[in-house]
Amino acid sequence: MLSLILRRLVQAIPLLLGVVVLNFTLIQMVPGTFLDVMTAEQQVTDPAMIERLRVTYGMDQPPAMQLLKYIGSVARLDLGYSYRHNLPVIDVLLAHLPATLLLMLAALVIAVLVGSAAGIVSALKVNTWWDTAVSVLAVLCFAAPSFWLGIMLIILFCVKLGWFPVGGMVTIGLDDGFWSQALDIAHHLVLPALTLGLFYSANYARVMRASMLEVSRMDHVRTAHAKGLKRHTVVLHHMARNALLPVVTLFGLQLGAVLRGSIVVEAVFSWPGIGAVLFDSVMSRNYPVVLGILVLSSLVVILANIAVDLLYTRLDPRIKGH
């Protein structure tokens, strides 16, 4: 297990380096800098001050030298400085990343549980109206844009029924202890997590259905039935565990997509994650923050995929050491 973790971490180093180089190169190709924005907003008008800022932020140096310095800074866990927030980039990201990770985790839990359960029901009731209903709902969830689904949920559950708050992460002014605050955050989290989770649950439902149908034809499942085991025992212990392997694979592949989707959902529900920070940084040409978000999100996806590899070894011991 330890050797697997070390091997994956070593493999992640060139991948992360490639992400840094590619993103830095693409941003260098984008016209305009934060100095242009500051000049347009009349924050700085003195040419001498503009030139001094160019030197201070290293923008007077060749792009190759800027890239080498940035790679060295990332290696020291220094992602630069945000002029917009007047803080180091790492402090800005750490202030907003927990909210995004909480939303991602809740959405993935909903997607995996709902999608896997729907796939199992669809496989057990194949070619019945249950199977048809699951297929139709999966298509609807996948086809509906996440921002549209979020707006519809707000109209129904917030405006019409008043069950959930319209947006935000916490109730302003609430200070009733840890558990009250945790419940309040969970109350605010329900609709954003449902919006994001239902969209991705459609993929899990289809993959789980196909995997369950494939596993149901295997010899060990027929042997379990022949031994007289109860149906739910066969389904849970002999079919579902083996059928989960493609779902785990999809889980690892979708982490990046869920991170991108959370940015849209955060805008709809005013969720204080990195989505709003990323949008503001792009509009203000605050490229150190943009690069920091891309690097940190890549690191999160890499670490999550390592965790998926470890989960693989638990579900299927045959792949240990590969």
Side-chain angles (χ1 to χ4, degrees), residues 111-189:
V112 173
L113 292 180
V114 173
S116 298
I120 291 174
V121 171
S122 182
L124 296 178
K125 305 288 186 179
V126 64
N127 296 329
T128 65
W129 71 269
W130 283 95
D131 188 18
T132 303
V134 170
S135 299
V136 171
L137 290 176
V139 171
L140 290 177
C141 290
F142 187 76
S146 56
F147 67 88
W148 178 86
L149 181 59
I151 293 173
M152 294 300 104
L153 291 179
I154 289 175
I155 294 175
L156 177 59
F157 292 105
C158 300
V159 179
K160 299 293 185 182
L161 300 177
W163 291 356
F164 297 98
V166 176
M169 184 176 176
V170 294
T171 301
I172 298 176
L174 179 66
D175 189 15
D176 294 334
F178 173 78
W179 291 110
S180 296
Q181 293 181 10
L183 290 175
D184 184 62
I185 292 175
H187 191 213
H188 285 77
L189 179 64

Side-chain angles (χ1 to χ4, degrees), residues 103 144-156 158-159 164-169 188-196 260-277 279:
L103 176 59
S146 56
F147 67 88
W148 178 86
L149 181 59
I151 293 173
M152 294 300 104
L153 291 179
I154 289 175
I155 294 175
L156 177 59
C158 300
V159 179
F164 297 98
V166 176
M169 184 176 176
H188 285 77
L189 179 64
V190 171
L191 291 186
L194 275 177
T195 301
L196 191 58
R260 294 194 303 270
S262 66
I263 294 175
V264 177
V265 174
E266 287 174 9
V268 174
F269 289 93
S270 301
W271 190 260
I274 62 174
V277 177
F279 179 78

